[in-house]
Amino acid sequence: MNEQEKQPHNGDDDLVEETRMLSLGEDEVEEETVEAGKKVRRRGIYLLPNLFTTGALFSGFFAIVSAMNGAFDSAAIAIFISMILDGLDGRVARLTNTQSDFGAEYDSLADMVSFGVAPALVAFSWMLSDIGKIGWIAAFVYVAGAALRLARFNTQIGSVDKRWFIGLPSPAAAAVVAGIVWTFSDLDLNDTAYTYALAFIVASIGVLMVSNVRYNSFKEIDLKGRVPFLTMFVIAIFFVVIAYDPATVLLLLFMGYAGSGPGRALLRRVKKADQ
């Protein structure tokens, strides 16, 4: 037998690979990527970052269930917990070098539940259901805005300036809605005017998510660098203020962030008009 007969052809290589994967079980292949021009198939998923993502997803689902049961404080707090866990999963993946396409897709789907569906349903269960069609339309505008925002973000990765977000980030949008619910859920707001105001805010937040307004991503901040000594004291005072009245402080903080994008855009237009 000559050497040529011993070596399989390229087509045979593919057949051998497919046979090997079949023997392993195709259902075990969770991810397929191309690295250095070669197809790479991976079995299983990274545990640690996906645990945080699952926690964020659970918190979002818990917010929906809590709102259905009338526990609006718990629903709002669960959305903020989702934000914390969502902020940790990506950082943990980078620190442990466990990034994956599967993790990115899973994170995006979890974000849709926690920051898209959950805030809209919480607001609808709380007050928006009282005004019928206008209420659920406002809630849907928010959900659609979150879905489009997440889809656009996924397609813009690596092609936009990392210092800026295009459109209001969905976690910040969810924080505004959750902050309103958390702050005012204990008050007796029976006036229809409040409900229409909430519908306007929820729909406006949805529009901001799909707008071309730029928001600071704060990714240029170097957390490993040295800072003035007083900076840590200011941070400590900030946490004390949040602990004193977390609902109000977080609402004002994220409403300020939501308004920073349109405010910056307006200032740029004014400066251009003056030139």
Side-chain angles (χ1 to χ4, degrees):
M1 181 181 293
N2 58 35
E3 188 67 17
Q4 184 177 1
E5 291 176 331
K6 292 181 181 179
Q7 299 296 331
H9 299 288
N10 291 336
D12 294 335
D13 288 338
D14 294 337
L15 180 59
V16 170
E17 176 66 16
E18 293 295 331
T19 303
R20 186 180 69 84
M21 296 309 301
L22 285 172
S23 65
L24 293 173
E26 288 186 355
D27 57 327
E28 297 181 9
V29 178
E30 307 295 346
E31 186 176 1
E32 182 176 300
T33 59
V34 177
E35 296 180 1
K38 295 182 179 180
K39 184 186 295 184
V40 178
R41 293 173 174 174
R42 296 190 176 94
R43 290 182 296 161
I45 58 176
Y46 292 116
L47 178 62
L48 187 58
N50 289 305
L51 277 178
F52 285 96
T53 305
T54 303
L57 177 61
F58 173 81
S59 295
F61 181 75
F62 180 82
I64 296 173
V65 174
S66 297
M68 293 170 61
N69 292 327
F72 299 111
D73 280 0
S74 298
I77 293 171
I79 291 175
F80 279 105
I81 292 175
S82 290
M83 289 182 56
I84 296 173
L85 295 174
D86 179 67
L88 289 175
D89 60 3
R91 287 169 174 79
V92 168
R94 288 189 291 271
L95 287 173
T96 58
N97 195 28
T98 53
Q99 305 100 315
S100 67
D101 291 341
F102 176 90
E105 294 297 329
Y106 185 33
D107 179 70
S108 183
L109 292 171
D111 287 352
M112 185 59 210
V113 174
S114 300
F115 309 135
V117 177
L121 289 181
V122 170
F124 183 80
S125 299
W126 177 46
M127 285 181 65
L128 294 182
S129 59
D130 296 339
I131 54 176
K133 289 183 179 180
I134 295 179
W136 68 256
I137 288 173
F140 176 74
V141 169
Y142 177 92
V143 172
L148 292 169
R149 171 70 179 81
L150 290 167
R152 182 173 64 177
F153 176 79
N154 291 340
T155 59
Q156 288 180 337
I157 294 177
S159 62
V160 296
D161 191 340
K162 292 183 178 181
R163 296 175 302 172
W164 305 99
F165 291 124
I166 307 301
L168 180 65
S170 58
V176 173
V177 177
I180 293 173
V181 174
W182 192 6
T183 302
F184 299 105
S185 61
D186 292 334
L187 303 180
D188 186 15
L189 302 177
N190 292 323
D191 194 335
T192 308
Y194 292 117
T195 309
Y196 281 106
L198 177 64
F200 175 78
I201 293 173
V202 170
S204 298
I205 293 297
V207 172
L208 282 176
M209 281 191 281
V210 296
S211 69
N212 290 322
V213 175
R214 295 196 305 173
Y215 285 88
N216 198 316
S217 68
F218 301 108
K219 291 183 179 180
E220 71 277 8
I221 298 177
D222 184 11
L223 297 178
K224 297 180 180 180
R226 291 179 176 271
V227 296
F229 177 77
L230 287 178
T231 301
M232 292 306 302
F233 180 73
V234 172
I235 293 174
I237 295 298
F238 178 72
F239 281 115
V240 170
V241 172
I242 291 180
Y244 178 75
D245 190 355
T248 303
V249 173
L250 290 173
L251 174 60
L252 293 175
L253 179 66
F254 283 101
M255 285 195 72
Y257 181 73
S260 66
R264 185 181 292 107
L266 182 60
L267 286 176
R268 284 201 304 269
R269 289 191 176 186
V270 171
K271 289 181 179 179
K272 288 182 179 180
D274 292 339
Q275 291 178 355

